[in-house]
Short mmCIF file of all heavy atoms in Angstrom, two decimals:
data_model
loop_
_atom_site.label_atom_id
_atom_site.label_comp_id
_atom_site.label_asym_id
_atom_site.label_seq_id
_atom_site.Cartn_x
_atom_site.Cartn_y
_atom_site.Cartn_z
N MET N 715 0.81 -1.23 0.00
CA MET N 715 0.00 0.00 0.00
C MET N 715 0.84 1.27 0.00
O MET N 715 0.45 2.27 -0.59
CB MET N 715 -0.97 0.02 1.18
CG MET N 715 -0.37 -0.27 2.55
SD MET N 715 0.42 1.16 3.32
CE MET N 715 -0.97 2.20 3.62
N ARG N 716 2.01 1.25 0.63
CA ARG N 716 2.84 2.45 0.63
C ARG N 716 3.37 2.73 -0.79
O ARG N 716 3.37 3.87 -1.25
CB ARG N 716 4.02 2.29 1.59
CG ARG N 716 3.65 2.24 3.07
CD ARG N 716 4.93 1.95 3.85
NE ARG N 716 4.71 1.91 5.27
CZ ARG N 716 4.28 0.84 5.95
NH1 ARG N 716 3.97 -0.26 5.29
NH2 ARG N 716 4.15 0.89 7.26
N SER N 717 3.82 1.67 -1.45
CA SER N 717 4.31 1.84 -2.82
C SER N 717 3.19 2.29 -3.75
O SER N 717 3.41 3.13 -4.63
CB SER N 717 4.90 0.52 -3.32
OG SER N 717 6.05 0.17 -2.58
N GLU N 718 2.02 1.74 -3.54
CA GLU N 718 0.88 2.17 -4.36
C GLU N 718 0.55 3.64 -4.10
O GLU N 718 0.19 4.38 -5.02
CB GLU N 718 -0.32 1.28 -4.07
CG GLU N 718 -0.15 -0.13 -4.58
CD GLU N 718 -1.27 -1.07 -4.13
OE1 GLU N 718 -1.73 -0.98 -2.98
OE2 GLU N 718 -1.68 -1.90 -4.96
N ARG N 719 0.67 4.06 -2.87
CA ARG N 719 0.41 5.46 -2.53
C ARG N 719 1.45 6.37 -3.18
O ARG N 719 1.13 7.47 -3.63
CB ARG N 719 0.40 5.65 -1.01
CG ARG N 719 -0.01 7.04 -0.56
CD ARG N 719 -0.11 7.14 0.95
NE ARG N 719 -1.20 6.33 1.47
CZ ARG N 719 -1.47 6.17 2.78
NH1 ARG N 719 -0.68 6.75 3.68
NH2 ARG N 719 -2.48 5.43 3.16
N ILE N 720 2.70 5.91 -3.21
CA ILE N 720 3.75 6.70 -3.89
C ILE N 720 3.37 6.91 -5.35
O ILE N 720 3.44 8.03 -5.88
CB ILE N 720 5.12 6.00 -3.78
CG1 ILE N 720 5.69 6.15 -2.36
CG2 ILE N 720 6.10 6.59 -4.80
CD1 ILE N 720 6.98 5.39 -2.14
N THR N 721 3.00 5.83 -6.04
CA THR N 721 2.68 5.96 -7.46
C THR N 721 1.47 6.87 -7.67
O THR N 721 1.40 7.62 -8.65
CB THR N 721 2.42 4.59 -8.11
OG1 THR N 721 1.34 3.93 -7.44
CG2 THR N 721 3.65 3.72 -8.02
N SER N 722 0.54 6.82 -6.75
CA SER N 722 -0.66 7.65 -6.85
C SER N 722 -0.32 9.13 -6.69
O SER N 722 -0.73 9.99 -7.49
CB SER N 722 -1.68 7.23 -5.79
OG SER N 722 -2.87 7.95 -5.90
N LEU N 723 0.45 9.45 -5.65
CA LEU N 723 0.85 10.84 -5.42
C LEU N 723 1.78 11.34 -6.52
O LEU N 723 1.71 12.51 -6.93
CB LEU N 723 1.54 10.97 -4.06
CG LEU N 723 0.64 10.82 -2.82
CD1 LEU N 723 1.47 10.74 -1.55
CD2 LEU N 723 -0.37 11.95 -2.73
N ALA N 724 2.65 10.46 -7.00
CA ALA N 724 3.59 10.85 -8.07
C ALA N 724 2.83 11.26 -9.32
O ALA N 724 3.20 12.22 -10.02
CB ALA N 724 4.54 9.70 -8.38
N ARG N 725 1.76 10.56 -9.61
CA ARG N 725 0.94 10.90 -10.78
C ARG N 725 0.42 12.33 -10.65
O ARG N 725 0.39 13.09 -11.62
CB ARG N 725 -0.22 9.90 -10.86
CG ARG N 725 -0.96 9.89 -12.17
CD ARG N 725 -2.01 8.79 -12.15
NE ARG N 725 -1.45 7.50 -11.78
CZ ARG N 725 -2.05 6.61 -10.98
NH1 ARG N 725 -3.23 6.88 -10.46
NH2 ARG N 725 -1.48 5.47 -10.71
N HIS N 726 0.03 12.70 -9.43
CA HIS N 726 -0.50 14.05 -9.19
C HIS N 726 0.59 15.10 -9.40
O HIS N 726 0.37 16.13 -10.05
CB HIS N 726 -1.08 14.13 -7.78
CG HIS N 726 -1.67 15.47 -7.44
ND1 HIS N 726 -2.67 16.05 -8.20
CD2 HIS N 726 -1.43 16.34 -6.43
CE1 HIS N 726 -3.00 17.21 -7.67
NE2 HIS N 726 -2.27 17.42 -6.61
N VAL N 727 1.77 14.84 -8.85
CA VAL N 727 2.88 15.81 -8.99
C VAL N 727 3.25 16.00 -10.46
O VAL N 727 3.45 17.12 -10.93
CB VAL N 727 4.11 15.35 -8.18
CG1 VAL N 727 5.29 16.28 -8.43
CG2 VAL N 727 3.79 15.30 -6.69
N ILE N 728 3.34 14.90 -11.18
CA ILE N 728 3.73 14.98 -12.58
C ILE N 728 2.71 15.77 -13.39
O ILE N 728 3.07 16.59 -14.24
CB ILE N 728 3.92 13.56 -13.15
CG1 ILE N 728 5.14 12.89 -12.49
CG2 ILE N 728 4.09 13.59 -14.67
CD1 ILE N 728 5.22 11.40 -12.70
N THR N 729 1.44 15.56 -13.12
CA THR N 729 0.42 16.30 -13.88
C THR N 729 0.39 17.77 -13.49
O THR N 729 0.02 18.62 -14.32
CB THR N 729 -0.98 15.69 -13.66
OG1 THR N 729 -1.30 15.68 -12.26
CG2 THR N 729 -1.05 14.28 -14.20
N LEU N 730 0.79 18.11 -12.26
CA LEU N 730 0.80 19.51 -11.84
C LEU N 730 1.79 20.35 -12.65
O LEU N 730 1.64 21.57 -12.75
CB LEU N 730 1.13 19.62 -10.35
CG LEU N 730 -0.02 19.33 -9.38
CD1 LEU N 730 0.49 19.32 -7.93
CD2 LEU N 730 -1.14 20.36 -9.52
N THR N 731 2.80 19.70 -13.22
CA THR N 731 3.75 20.47 -14.03
C THR N 731 3.06 21.12 -15.22
O THR N 731 3.49 22.17 -15.71
CB THR N 731 4.90 19.59 -14.55
OG1 THR N 731 4.38 18.54 -15.38
CG2 THR N 731 5.67 18.98 -13.39
N MET N 732 1.98 20.52 -15.68
CA MET N 732 1.24 21.11 -16.80
C MET N 732 0.65 22.46 -16.41
O MET N 732 0.55 23.36 -17.24
CB MET N 732 0.14 20.16 -17.27
CG MET N 732 0.66 18.93 -17.99
SD MET N 732 1.70 19.34 -19.41
CE MET N 732 0.52 20.20 -20.45
N ASP N 733 0.25 22.59 -15.14
CA ASP N 733 -0.29 23.88 -14.68
C ASP N 733 0.74 24.99 -14.86
O ASP N 733 0.44 26.05 -15.42
CB ASP N 733 -0.69 23.79 -13.21
CG ASP N 733 -2.06 23.17 -13.01
OD1 ASP N 733 -2.71 22.86 -14.01
OD2 ASP N 733 -2.47 23.01 -11.85
N THR N 734 1.95 24.75 -14.36
CA THR N 734 2.97 25.81 -14.44
C THR N 734 3.45 26.00 -15.87
O THR N 734 3.78 27.13 -16.27
CB THR N 734 4.16 25.49 -13.52
OG1 THR N 734 4.62 24.15 -13.78
CG2 THR N 734 3.76 25.61 -12.06
N ASN N 735 3.50 24.93 -16.66
CA ASN N 735 3.91 25.09 -18.06
C ASN N 735 2.91 25.95 -18.83
O ASN N 735 3.29 26.86 -19.58
CB ASN N 735 4.04 23.72 -18.73
CG ASN N 735 5.17 22.89 -18.16
OD1 ASN N 735 6.05 23.41 -17.49
ND2 ASN N 735 5.15 21.59 -18.42
N ILE N 736 1.63 25.65 -18.65
CA ILE N 736 0.60 26.40 -19.37
C ILE N 736 0.52 27.83 -18.84
O ILE N 736 0.35 28.79 -19.61
CB ILE N 736 -0.76 25.69 -19.26
CG1 ILE N 736 -0.70 24.34 -20.00
CG2 ILE N 736 -1.88 26.56 -19.82
CD1 ILE N 736 -1.90 23.45 -19.76
N THR N 737 0.66 27.98 -17.53
CA THR N 737 0.64 29.33 -16.96
C THR N 737 1.76 30.19 -17.53
O THR N 737 1.57 31.36 -17.85
CB THR N 737 0.77 29.27 -15.42
OG1 THR N 737 -0.39 28.61 -14.89
CG2 THR N 737 0.87 30.65 -14.81
N THR N 738 2.94 29.59 -17.68
CA THR N 738 4.08 30.33 -18.22
C THR N 738 3.78 30.88 -19.62
O THR N 738 4.08 32.04 -19.92
CB THR N 738 5.33 29.43 -18.28
OG1 THR N 738 5.67 29.02 -16.95
CG2 THR N 738 6.51 30.17 -18.89
N VAL N 739 3.17 30.05 -20.45
CA VAL N 739 2.98 30.47 -21.85
C VAL N 739 1.76 31.36 -22.05
O VAL N 739 1.59 31.94 -23.13
CB VAL N 739 2.89 29.25 -22.79
CG1 VAL N 739 4.12 28.39 -22.67
CG2 VAL N 739 1.63 28.42 -22.52
N THR N 740 0.92 31.50 -21.03
CA THR N 740 -0.30 32.30 -21.21
C THR N 740 -0.25 33.63 -20.48
O THR N 740 -1.27 34.31 -20.36
CB THR N 740 -1.54 31.52 -20.75
OG1 THR N 740 -1.36 31.06 -19.40
CG2 THR N 740 -1.79 30.32 -21.64
N GLN N 741 0.92 34.03 -19.99
CA GLN N 741 1.02 35.35 -19.37
C GLN N 741 1.06 36.43 -20.46
O GLN N 741 1.79 36.31 -21.44
CB GLN N 741 2.29 35.43 -18.50
CG GLN N 741 2.25 34.52 -17.28
CD GLN N 741 1.05 34.80 -16.39
OE1 GLN N 741 1.03 35.78 -15.67
NE2 GLN N 741 0.05 33.94 -16.47
N TRP N 742 0.31 37.49 -20.25
CA TRP N 742 0.21 38.55 -21.25
C TRP N 742 1.15 39.70 -20.91
O TRP N 742 1.05 40.29 -19.83
CB TRP N 742 -1.22 39.10 -21.33
CG TRP N 742 -2.24 38.12 -21.83
CD1 TRP N 742 -2.03 36.84 -22.25
CD2 TRP N 742 -3.65 38.37 -21.95
NE1 TRP N 742 -3.21 36.27 -22.63
CE2 TRP N 742 -4.23 37.18 -22.46
CE3 TRP N 742 -4.46 39.47 -21.69
CZ2 TRP N 742 -5.59 37.06 -22.71
CZ3 TRP N 742 -5.82 39.36 -21.94
CH2 TRP N 742 -6.38 38.17 -22.45
N LEU N 743 2.03 40.01 -21.82
CA LEU N 743 2.84 41.22 -21.73
C LEU N 743 3.46 41.39 -20.34
O LEU N 743 4.15 40.49 -19.87
CB LEU N 743 2.00 42.43 -22.15
CG LEU N 743 1.37 42.29 -23.56
CD1 LEU N 743 0.42 43.43 -23.87
CD2 LEU N 743 2.43 42.13 -24.63
N GLU N 744 3.23 42.52 -19.66
CA GLU N 744 3.90 42.77 -18.38
C GLU N 744 3.18 42.15 -17.18
O GLU N 744 3.75 42.01 -16.11
CB GLU N 744 4.05 44.28 -18.14
CG GLU N 744 5.19 44.93 -18.91
CD GLU N 744 4.93 45.00 -20.39
OE1 GLU N 744 3.79 45.37 -20.78
OE2 GLU N 744 5.85 44.68 -21.18
N ARG N 745 1.90 41.77 -17.35
CA ARG N 745 1.19 41.19 -16.21
C ARG N 745 -0.22 40.78 -16.60
O ARG N 745 -0.90 41.48 -17.34
CB ARG N 745 1.10 42.21 -15.07
CG ARG N 745 0.19 41.83 -13.88
CD ARG N 745 0.66 40.57 -13.21
NE ARG N 745 0.06 40.36 -11.89
CZ ARG N 745 -0.18 39.16 -11.35
NH1 ARG N 745 0.12 38.08 -12.03
NH2 ARG N 745 -0.70 39.04 -10.16
N THR N 746 -0.64 39.62 -16.12
CA THR N 746 -2.04 39.20 -16.19
C THR N 746 -2.31 38.40 -14.93
O THR N 746 -1.40 37.87 -14.31
CB THR N 746 -2.30 38.38 -17.46
OG1 THR N 746 -3.68 38.05 -17.52
CG2 THR N 746 -1.49 37.11 -17.48
N LEU N 747 -3.57 38.32 -14.55
CA LEU N 747 -3.89 37.74 -13.24
C LEU N 747 -4.40 36.30 -13.33
O LEU N 747 -4.77 35.71 -12.33
CB LEU N 747 -4.93 38.62 -12.53
CG LEU N 747 -5.06 38.45 -11.01
CD1 LEU N 747 -3.75 38.73 -10.30
CD2 LEU N 747 -6.16 39.34 -10.46
N ASP N 748 -4.38 35.71 -14.51
CA ASP N 748 -4.90 34.35 -14.61
C ASP N 748 -3.91 33.30 -14.09
O ASP N 748 -4.16 32.11 -14.17
CB ASP N 748 -5.31 34.03 -16.05
CG ASP N 748 -4.15 34.10 -17.02
OD1 ASP N 748 -3.10 34.67 -16.66
OD2 ASP N 748 -4.29 33.60 -18.15
N ASP N 749 -2.79 33.74 -13.58
CA ASP N 749 -1.85 32.84 -12.92
C ASP N 749 -2.18 32.64 -11.44
O ASP N 749 -1.85 31.62 -10.84
CB ASP N 749 -0.42 33.35 -13.05
CG ASP N 749 -0.24 34.73 -12.42
OD1 ASP N 749 -1.24 35.45 -12.28
OD2 ASP N 749 0.90 35.09 -12.09
N SER N 750 -2.84 33.61 -10.84
CA SER N 750 -2.91 33.70 -9.39
C SER N 750 -3.61 32.51 -8.74
O SER N 750 -3.04 31.83 -7.87
CB SER N 750 -3.62 34.99 -8.98
OG SER N 750 -3.73 35.08 -7.58
N ALA N 751 -4.85 32.24 -9.14
CA ALA N 751 -5.61 31.16 -8.50
C ALA N 751 -4.92 29.82 -8.72
O ALA N 751 -4.82 28.98 -7.81
CB ALA N 751 -7.03 31.13 -9.04
N ASN N 752 -4.41 29.60 -9.95
CA ASN N 752 -3.73 28.36 -10.26
C ASN N 752 -2.46 28.19 -9.44
O ASN N 752 -2.17 27.13 -8.90
CB ASN N 752 -3.42 28.32 -11.76
CG ASN N 752 -2.82 27.01 -12.20
OD1 ASN N 752 -1.68 26.71 -11.91
ND2 ASN N 752 -3.61 26.23 -12.92
N LYS N 753 -1.71 29.27 -9.34
CA LYS N 753 -0.43 29.26 -8.63
C LYS N 753 -0.62 28.96 -7.14
O LYS N 753 0.21 28.28 -6.52
CB LYS N 753 0.24 30.61 -8.85
CG LYS N 753 1.64 30.80 -8.32
CD LYS N 753 2.15 32.15 -8.83
CE LYS N 753 3.37 32.64 -8.09
NZ LYS N 753 4.53 31.78 -8.27
N ARG N 754 -1.70 29.48 -6.57
CA ARG N 754 -1.98 29.25 -5.15
C ARG N 754 -2.19 27.76 -4.86
O ARG N 754 -2.00 27.31 -3.74
CB ARG N 754 -3.25 30.00 -4.72
CG ARG N 754 -3.12 31.50 -4.61
CD ARG N 754 -4.48 32.11 -4.38
NE ARG N 754 -4.47 33.56 -4.52
CZ ARG N 754 -4.53 34.41 -3.51
NH1 ARG N 754 -4.58 33.96 -2.28
NH2 ARG N 754 -4.54 35.71 -3.73
N ILE N 755 -2.64 27.03 -5.87
CA ILE N 755 -2.93 25.60 -5.69
C ILE N 755 -1.76 24.74 -6.14
O ILE N 755 -1.29 23.88 -5.40
CB ILE N 755 -4.20 25.22 -6.49
CG1 ILE N 755 -5.41 26.02 -6.00
CG2 ILE N 755 -4.46 23.73 -6.40
CD1 ILE N 755 -6.61 25.93 -6.92
N SER N 756 -1.28 24.96 -7.36
CA SER N 756 -0.34 24.02 -7.97
C SER N 756 1.01 23.99 -7.28
O SER N 756 1.59 22.90 -7.07
CB SER N 756 -0.15 24.35 -9.46
OG SER N 756 0.36 25.66 -9.64
N VAL N 757 1.54 25.15 -6.89
CA VAL N 757 2.88 25.17 -6.29
C VAL N 757 2.88 24.52 -4.90
O VAL N 757 3.67 23.60 -4.65
CB VAL N 757 3.45 26.60 -6.27
CG1 VAL N 757 4.78 26.62 -5.50
CG2 VAL N 757 3.66 27.12 -7.69
N PRO N 758 2.02 24.95 -3.97
CA PRO N 758 2.02 24.27 -2.66
C PRO N 758 1.70 22.79 -2.77
O PRO N 758 2.32 21.96 -2.09
CB PRO N 758 0.93 25.02 -1.88
CG PRO N 758 0.83 26.35 -2.52
CD PRO N 758 1.10 26.10 -3.98
#
């Protein structure tokens, strides 16, 4: 069960990288606020 839990949590971490990747490419010019709500969740 511990190993299974590792694989389960790892799946979540790996998919979270998509949040930051997409956030990076969708920032407008000098500032946009569509990063904020996502960043509060994905990074922690």
Side-chain angles (χ1 to χ4, degrees):
M715 51 81 67
R716 292 175 178 84
S717 294
E718 290 173 320
R719 187 176 292 176
I720 286 175
T721 58
S722 183
L723 290 171
R725 195 176 307 141
H726 181 56
V727 175
I728 292 165
T729 57
L730 281 173
T731 61
M732 289 304 297
D733 278 357
T734 51
N735 293 344
I736 294 170
T737 295
T738 298
V739 302
T740 54
Q741 293 303 284
W742 294 358
L743 304 174
E744 282 70 44
R745 170 61 165 149
T746 183
L747 199 59
D748 62 345
D749 60 337
S750 179
N752 185 288
K753 186 172 164 64
R754 288 172 191 255
I755 299 167
S756 60
V757 174

